[in-house]
Amino acid sequence: MTLAIERTNTPAAVAETVATHEIPTVACADLRVPLVTGGGSDHIGYANLDHAASAPCLDKVRAAVDEFLPWYASVHRGAGFASQISTKLYERTRGILRDFVDARSTDAVVFTRNTTDSFNLLARSLPKHTSVVVFDTDHHAALLPWRGPNVRRIQTPRTRLAAVSAVDEALADCPQGPRLVVITGASNVTGELLPVKEIAAVARRHGARIALDAAQLAPHRKISVRELDVDYVALSGHKLYAPFGAGALIGRADWLRAAQPYLAGGGATKLVNRDSENLGVVWNSGPERHEAGSPNTVGVYALGVACETLAGNWDAIVAHEDELLARLRRGLAAVPGFAELRLFDAPVDRVGTLSFVVDGFDPGWLAAVLSAEYGIGVRDGAFCAHIATKRLISAAGSTGQQAVRVSLGLGSTTEHVDRLVLALRQIVARGARWQYEKPEGRWVPENDPRELPPFCA
């Protein structure tokens, strides 16, 4: 089931899928955290509802990395057997990533640190005078790398159809020359899916290429580059249950091959010689052209294992998250003063992420209380999407500039969802049981008695 196909799961079908399929497990499933109200000695199972920031490590990824670490060595130029093994795994992962997003056989796979790194690489690789069209409500990773007079930042409309039309109009206004449309697959503020396939069709009519920010989409939905008809996909391992510092840019090779290397250094070069006082350099033409320095072999391997694990479990993953999201939205809707942030007026398909405000309550204070007194991890702030968050808060009828975000994933359970809903009801009804202060811009418990784990000492 790809992003390009609308889903029609009924509650019964979702329940049946969840009951008959096991979802991949995560390493923090048994994590227990101290509560401030217990004097630091009372512990509770950690409710991780912050997957959109960094997802926990898959058990399969942890086991695979542990197995690989004794073999970890230099890649590409090492003659030793361990180096040969490391190189084989590193290069094999390119194919795994290409298959994961159903890319073309000719598409390059360049390993990066994360989505932000990927888009900065792509921005450095654009042909001269390329026009770029991007929605202003995108995550900063997709919004900020593009600079100059040929960048058109569109204010995101309130309907999907209007979003497609806005891209059409912006492209028609671009000067002649290469063009790129940057589109986010799923909003990291609201979880709503953008009309990627429809926008790609419009972009094609104008001769434009399309870059997809899949950071929030890839952990939740199967992606097909060919069905969506996009040219580039950027994703992050730390969102994909592989928190070892690797990401990837996957897409058409010509612009990347023609661009100056993203970094200058070893691995990106085919030949370096000295002629008088000058250095002569012949750069590699493949993906390694933009991978100078010793690569993050462990992170790349972990990313590949995570992608293979997710690829075999999409039906169960989607059903699990759909059930939890429906339960979460029903529960939160009954909290007094609750208002959910939304990009679009009409309901659309979405991943398990939502942001909200509660009238009369500071989002940062709410997040601190949920953590300290209930063992719940959520996000507060503007989520590296400041324009989107502030605009949507205003549209929800609030005057603040920050919100609370809940993001579900493989580590989430019905107990976590129910605990959050009950906690918010109790906080709204009777307040906190502890005193809080804001000494350095963030709310924290006063005189916090909880001890840090030994490895933090």
Side-chain angles (χ1 to χ4, degrees):
M1 183 181 306
T2 67
L3 173 65
I5 301 174
E6 293 293 331
R7 297 179 296 107
T8 57
N9 287 338
T10 64
V14 169
E16 180 181 358
T17 303
V18 172
T20 57
H21 293 80
E22 290 187 1
I23 63 171
T25 57
V26 295
C28 69
D30 298 324
L31 181 64
R32 298 182 67 80
V33 295
L35 299 182
V36 68
T37 50
S41 61
D42 186 18
H43 286 64
I44 191 171
Y46 183 53
N48 183 358
L49 298 176
D50 192 20
H51 284 67
S54 283
C57 185
L58 285 175
D59 281 326
K60 285 190 175 181
V61 169
R62 180 173 64 173
V65 168
D66 285 345
E67 183 181 24
F68 169 58
L69 282 176
W71 295 92
Y72 165 67
S74 62
V75 300
H76 293 149
R77 292 166 298 283
F81 192 69
S83 290
Q84 295 175 41
I85 295 298
S86 295
T87 299
K88 181 179 181 64
L89 293 178
Y90 184 84
E91 290 301 328
R92 189 177 72 182
T93 303
R94 295 194 203 273
I96 293 172
L97 268 290
R98 194 178 288 112
D99 291 343
F100 182 69
V101 299
D102 190 29
R104 297 160 289 263
S105 61
T106 55
D107 282 343
V109 178
V110 182
F111 294 122
T112 63
R113 293 179 299 166
N114 44 45
T115 302
T116 301
D117 200 28
S118 294
F119 275 142
N120 276 273
L121 163 59
L122 182 57
R124 286 273 299 273
S125 303
L126 298 184
K128 194 174 182 180
H129 304 307
T130 298
S131 297
V132 178
V133 175
V134 59
F135 287 109
D136 66 357
T137 53
D138 283 356
H139 187 280
H140 294 166
L143 179 66
L144 298 182
W146 328 102
R147 301 297 178 91
N150 288 340
V151 178
R152 281 150 174 78
R153 299 179 181 89
I154 307 172
Q155 180 168 324
T156 307
R158 296 294 298 183
T159 70
R160 286 165 57 94
L161 181 60
V164 176
S165 298
V167 172
D168 194 4
E169 294 173 4
L171 287 170
D173 190 46
C174 288
Q176 291 297 316
R179 301 170 182 180
L180 178 72
V181 176
V182 182
I183 180 73
T184 294
S187 168
N188 82 306
V189 179
T190 70
E192 293 165 292
L193 270 59
L194 280 292
V196 177
K197 188 172 185 178
E198 294 84 351
I199 288 175
V202 165
R204 290 289 179 240
R205 292 203 300 270
H206 290 277
R209 295 191 180 189
I210 306 95
L212 174 64
D213 175 357
Q216 298 295 336
L217 183 64
H220 305 281
R221 294 285 191 278
K222 184 177 180 181
I223 297 172
S224 173
V225 163
R226 288 183 281 194
E227 286 190 34
L228 294 172
D229 195 20
V230 299
D231 298 277
Y232 303 95
V233 174
L235 48 78
S236 298
H238 74 102
K239 313 285 190 186
L240 277 162
Y241 306 94
F244 293 89
L249 176 67
I250 307 158
R252 299 195 183 277
D254 55 345
W255 285 2
L256 298 171
R257 188 167 50 241
Q260 287 296 308
Y262 185 44
L263 297 173
T269 58
K270 186 178 295 184
L271 174 68
V272 178
N273 55 37
R274 183 173 179 178
D275 179 14
S276 183
E277 296 300 319
N278 299 315
L279 286 179
V281 182
V282 178
W283 302 102
N284 280 316
S285 59
E288 61 271 21
R289 181 183 184 87
H290 299 291
E291 296 175 354
S294 295
N296 180 4
T297 309
V298 174
V300 165
Y301 177 58
L303 176 58
V305 173
C307 288
E308 286 186 310
T309 302
L310 296 178
N313 293 277
W314 280 124
D315 287 345
I317 291 170
V318 172
H320 167 74
E321 294 181 4
D322 279 356
E323 182 188 42
L324 291 181
L325 181 60
R327 188 184 190 99
L328 175 66
R329 297 186 74 198
R330 286 195 303 269
L332 291 179
V335 174
F338 168 85
E340 182 180 342
L341 308 190
R342 292 170 55 177
L343 281 173
F344 302 119
D345 293 329
V348 300
D349 194 10
R350 58 192 299 166
V351 300
T353 296
L354 67 83
S355 297
F356 64 88
V357 291
V358 179
D359 189 36
F361 291 87
D362 182 288
W365 181 86
L366 276 177
V369 177
L370 288 170
S371 173
E373 300 183 22
Y374 297 90
I376 300 170
V378 296
R379 200 76 164 180
D380 67 277
F383 320 121
C384 291
H386 294 177
I387 296 173
T389 304
K390 294 173 184 178
R391 184 179 299 158
L392 299 182
I393 288 172
S394 177
S398 183
T399 58
Q401 297 190 14
Q402 298 186 333
V404 177
R405 184 181 69 188
V406 179
S407 49
L408 306 167
L410 298 180
S412 307
T413 68
T414 55
E415 190 277 328
H416 295 165
V417 168
D418 292 346
R419 193 195 314 174
L420 172 68
V421 172
L422 177 60
L424 283 173
R425 288 176 178 171
Q426 290 178 348
I427 294 169
V428 170
R430 70 187 188 203
R433 291 170 285 174
W434 199 268
Q435 294 297 314
Y436 294 82
E437 59 182 351
K438 200 175 181 181
E440 296 180 357
R442 290 197 62 82
W443 289 101
V444 295
E446 290 184 1
N447 303 314
D448 192 340
R450 296 173 295 174
E451 292 184 3
L452 297 175
F455 60 81
C456 286

